[in-house]
Amino acid sequence: MDALSGCEETMSPSVVVWPQCTNVTDRRQTDRQACDNTDSWLAMSRQKLEFADTVRDLGVETDCKLSYDYHIENIVRQAYMRVGVLFKSFVSRDCDLLRQAYVTYIRPLLEYACNVWSPYKFKHIRAIEKIQRHFTRRIPAMRDLSYDERLARLNLESLEIRRVRSDLVLYYKIFNGLTNFNPSDVFDVRQNVRLTRSRDKLQLCRPMCKSKVLENNFLSGESLVGTCCQMM
């Protein structure tokens, strides 16, 4: 015991200090309220760490609830700023020139790592698509056209369709060994017992999810399950 006590004095691991809980129910409630509880704190090397609302990893921000709301709001705000700078910087209003500037400087911001944070809330889907609507409407030759007509004239696709296509491409790469992921480690693929008209031999099963965030995650995307199995 003395030896273990000595080790505890020399070691400085990450420590999580939780408030006192009287029973299991209280502990579960504390876990759910951990982000908002000011009495809980983290320590490393006996020094208290400051609480952060969000964490940035490889350019993607997430909060303690694994939500990407702040990241989406941030890139939307930056995209509007870039649209304004674009039209202030270019005197020409040539459609081809503005389109090339848009796909080079603005659209990559809205699509970077979209497989990770792809929105499922309607307000976020609409907010991201509204940026492209705003850009195409500011082109003088496009003001009298509808959004679909403006996209067709500029040879652009809606951002929502591009995100779905990006997910399908990544699905295809994973299942065909073009990435470092092992499909059996991240997906539950089973033999399709009930063959449909498409005669798909494999079936991609959705995992059980207890939250909307996990339910709409890339690894359990409901809308892409059928298409992914056909690609395999």
Side-chain angles (χ1 to χ4, degrees), residues 148-170:
D148 294 335
E149 292 174 342
R150 296 197 298 269
L151 292 182
R153 185 74 64 86
L154 295 172
N155 194 22
L156 295 174
E157 294 177 316
S158 68
L159 298 177
E160 183 177 6
I161 293 178
R162 288 180 58 84
R163 287 194 300 270
V164 173
R165 178 179 297 175
S166 177
D167 287 345
L168 292 175
V169 170
L170 185 54

Side-chain angles (χ1 to χ4, degrees), residues 105-153:
Y105 299 108
I106 301 174
R107 194 170 67 180
L109 176 65
L110 301 173
E111 296 181 339
Y112 171 74
C114 63
N115 307 105
V116 176
W117 56 264
S118 184
Y120 64 92
K121 297 180 180 178
F122 179 73
K123 66 175 183 178
H124 291 150
I125 297 176
R126 182 174 56 183
I128 295 175
E129 198 68 37
K130 191 176 180 179
I131 298 171
Q132 190 164 261
R133 290 176 178 270
H134 173 69
F135 165 77
T136 56
R137 191 184 297 114
R138 290 194 61 174
I139 301 177
M142 304 287 178
R143 291 176 181 174
D144 297 332
L145 303 177
S146 64
Y147 180 55
D148 294 335
E149 292 174 342
R150 296 197 298 269
L151 292 182
R153 185 74 64 86

Side-chain angles (χ1 to χ4, degrees), residues 22-61:
T22 56
N23 50 45
V24 176
T25 304
D26 292 342
R27 180 54 186 270
R28 290 176 179 176
Q29 293 177 353
T30 303
D31 291 343
R32 289 195 297 265
Q33 299 173 358
C35 296
D36 301 327
N37 196 336
T38 57
D39 295 332
S40 61
W41 49 276
L42 299 175
M44 179 176 291
S45 300
R46 300 184 181 277
Q47 294 185 358
K48 184 177 180 181
L49 301 179
E50 296 183 359
F51 179 79
D53 295 330
T54 61
V55 176
R56 178 187 291 269
D57 186 14
L58 297 178
V60 179
E61 294 179 279

